[in-house]
Amino acid sequence: MKLKVNNKKGTNTKETGEMYLYFGCRNSKLDEIYGHETGQAEDEGVISQVYTALSRQPNVPKMYVQDVMFENKHQIYEIISERHAHIYICGDVSMAADVAKTLELIIKTEGHVTYDEAREFVLNLKSDRRYHEDIFGVTLRTSEVTDKKRREAKRKSSIQSIKL
C-alpha cells in the first residue's frame, strides 16, 4: 500500500502497512465530519477498512468503538501480535479507557493469556511506542472519572482483602 505524505518540499510516497480506522460518533448526520475524507482514503486504498460505531443513530442499535473492536477481535489481535501494528486512540478520556480495556480483553481471549499478561502486553505496546493516545475531556469530566476510579479502587481493595 502507498501512503502519500505531503510536506513543504513536495509529495513523497512511503510504504505502509494496512490501516484500519475504528471511528465512533453519536449520529452520522451530525458527527461524522470527516466521512467524505475517510471514504475517499478508503477508496484510494490509503485506509484498508473503516469501521463506524454509532451510539445515538435513530433506528440503529447502539454501538461503541469498543463493541466494533470486539467484533473484529481476531483481526485486531493478529495485526498487533504478528504484524506489530501501531494503535492510535483519539477521543474522550472515558472512551480511551474503555478502548484500552477492550484491547486487553481481546489480547486475553485471542492470545489465551491471563488478564495480567494481557495488561502487560498493552504496557509493552506503550513502552515500545506502538500505543498512541490523543485524548481530551480530562478537565470537563474530572469528577466523573475520579469518582469512577475511586469506586473501582475500593472494589479491587475489598476483593483483595477478601482473598487475604
Side-chain angles (χ1 to χ4, degrees):
M1 164 180 308
K2 300 271 187 190
L3 172 64
K4 293 181 181 177
V5 180
N6 292 321
N7 61 31
K8 291 180 183 179
K9 295 179 183 177
T11 302
N12 293 332
T13 303
K14 295 183 178 183
E15 284 291 323
T16 63
E18 297 173 0
M19 286 190 227
Y20 300 93
L21 173 62
Y22 287 82
F23 175 79
C25 65
R26 292 180 177 160
N27 183 307
S28 64
K29 303 287 186 230
L30 303 173
D31 300 323
E32 201 169 358
I33 58 175
Y34 295 110
H36 174 73
E37 289 85 350
T38 56
Q40 184 177 357
E42 188 176 19
D43 291 344
E44 293 174 3
V46 175
I47 296 176
S48 304
Q49 177 112 25
V50 177
Y51 299 95
T52 303
L54 302 169
S55 64
R56 306 287 188 283
Q57 185 81 11
N59 304 315
V60 174
K62 184 184 287 191
M63 292 287 282
Y64 294 103
V65 168
Q66 54 271 29
D67 298 324
V68 180
M69 286 175 60
F70 201 75
E71 285 181 353
N72 295 285
K73 63 185 180 237
H74 179 74
Q75 177 189 53
I76 289 173
Y77 179 77
E78 193 265 328
I79 64 173
I80 291 170
S81 65
E82 296 178 23
R83 293 193 263 163
H84 308 288
H86 285 247
I87 299 162
Y88 297 87
I89 299 170
C90 180
D92 178 79
V93 65
S94 295
M95 179 277 306
D98 291 340
V99 166
K101 287 178 186 175
T102 301
L103 185 59
E104 289 173 356
L105 180 60
I106 289 170
I107 292 164
K108 179 184 178 295
T109 57
E110 292 296 302
H112 308 288
V113 297
T114 67
Y115 177 75
D116 288 338
E117 290 169 324
R119 178 185 275 159
E120 184 69 24
F121 188 95
V122 172
L123 289 173
N124 287 334
L125 288 174
K126 291 178 181 182
S127 66
D128 292 344
R129 298 180 178 203
R130 291 177 45 210
Y131 189 97
H132 314 274
E133 293 178 298
D134 182 4
I135 58 176
F136 58 82
V138 176
T139 56
L140 297 176
R141 299 179 69 178
T142 301
S143 65
E144 179 183 333
V145 172
T146 301
D147 291 346
K148 181 179 177 182
K149 294 296 180 191
R150 285 183 183 146
R151 285 192 305 274
E152 289 175 1
K154 284 180 183 178
R155 186 179 52 80
K156 287 179 183 177
S157 175
S158 65
I159 290 171
Q160 288 177 351
S161 64
I162 293 171
K163 289 181 180 178
L164 298 175

